[in-house]
Amino acid sequence: MLQEKTVEIPDFIVVRELANLMGASPIDVIKELMNAGVMANINQRIDYETAAIIAEEMGFEARPVAPPEEEEEVVEEVRPAKEQFYVEDRPEDLVPRPPVVTLLGHVDHGKTTILDAIRRTNVWSGEAGGITQHIGAYQVEVDGRRITFIDTPGHEAFTAMRARGAQATDIAVLVVAADDGVMPQTREAISHARAAGVPILVDINKIDLASAQPERVKQQLSNEGLIVEEWGGDVLCVETSAIQKTGLSDLLESILVLAEISDITANPDREAMGTVIEAQLDQRRGAAATLLVRNGTLHQGDAVLIDDIHGRIRAMFDFRGQQVEEAPPSMPVEVLGLSGVPVAGDTFRVVEDKRAARELAEERAQEKERPPDSQRPSLVSLEDLFQQMEAGEAKELRIILKADVQGSLEPVANSLERLETDELKVNILHQGIGHIGESDIMLAAASQAVVIGFNVEPDGAARSLAETEGVDVRIYDLIYRVIEDVDKALKGLLEPVYREVVLGHAEVRAIFHIPDRGNVAGCYVTDGQAVRNGLARVRRDSRVVYEGRVASLRRFTEDVAEVRSGYECGVGLEGFGDFEEGDVIEIYRMEQVTPP
């Protein structure tokens, strides 16, 4: 047959689309398929070889679709969260702004007492104790320069904000009691601050106590890699007594010095953007949120967007409870006028008008309604580490390491650090003794890290949080298995292990032909449940005649997500309609197995 025309056909094509490509009737295409021994309806997919034969029979020359020209891959630079507030600004538009400071450290080492002492003596209103309400953040003034303090419960809240894509802090003040010294939570706080990439200033508190040993504390800090300036290091260190209010001026001056070195700037002449510090629903005033302006200037009347929440700011109050018209960079304010209560750590930005804010918020709300799997964070796992490295998305394997005893922790950490290659570095962000807790999972989520436990398990809350955040948690009881898995991951050789989990069985009791959809099986669920989009196989007389996926699941005229045991339903399978009464459809899923 003379070939007069050419059609380009992809690897798979629907019968209707093939007819459209050739300008032919779908009926004629189906007839040709039947002549070739292929029974297919108008909406069924066929492969390239079959489609090419049909095209040639109908007077066309078939060619595979040419692969798209490979574009040069542009790897977008991943910026630290704090830099993302300033990517749109020209350097000449940036001016110094007040530093934003968070106090971290072990419980009972005096963080709250230090904050209270500073707040009562240095509030920039000039009135000691002049604060009339608590909004989670406030400013003090030192020699005409302001400092913003975030009053958070500790490093868990500090990292929870970072896990949500925001980094509100410019400087972390590590508070260590002069009598207790470095404690487990002190080490955690150091790891969290380092992972965030913020400079650390050490405050040795409680020096008024008779048992105070500041030099011992400095020695312990040097063991953690924090070497103070007087010992030849680069870490600023001050000594204070929050109870006696001594050394506080040195602390504030050191913060300003560190801020100057760190080049903390913003552009006040642009639309505001920043971070939600806290939020609540007030029965009288509605949704109220504390916003920390990171860049730009926030004005009363601005339309703001916070994730899927929008609104126009109808009133703003500073930390003293006084109403203000605008908030420049680094100023915390409580705002009213939002459509809902945002989550601490969410990023806010000013948009053109309230209508635009509402439309964007509605789009984001619709995205959240998608199935959970599509919302799961794309974090690092050992299996996909090598692929991420090759794609330029990963340059180091970050690890949170927990073990049962110190004697196990050190050899595991040393062995892991020796595994790094020229392309991938092993970075142990935090290592400690004891069970895997929520703080470890939150640090991993915020830092794109893998959690490795040696002879320890995550507690219930940590396990639940890991599933929610998509954090890869690995538990081992033999050192060589830890090293083997990480080594394979670095070389791209580690394969995920899956197991089959049977969800249920359905017996075929009738076959129905649906126009444009093919055959559907009328089934009775004998055990478990039938699930739409689940994997499926058809068993007939102990033989498997089909393996694929559930394409449709209906109860009467309604599409449903699942049908439980004891109920009837209609089941459609992808690419299969050759049902027989008595067939058993087994529905299952594949579940990844965590190595022992």
Side-chain angles (χ1 to χ4, degrees), residues 20 216-217 303 379 435 458:
N20 291 338
R216 180 176 70 93
V217 173
L379 297 180
H435 71 276

Side-chain angles (χ1 to χ4, degrees), residues 119-134:
R119 183 164 43 187
R120 289 186 176 134
T121 56
N122 292 83
V123 171
W124 59 265
S125 64
E127 300 176 6
I131 300 173
T132 59
Q133 65 181 35
H134 174 75

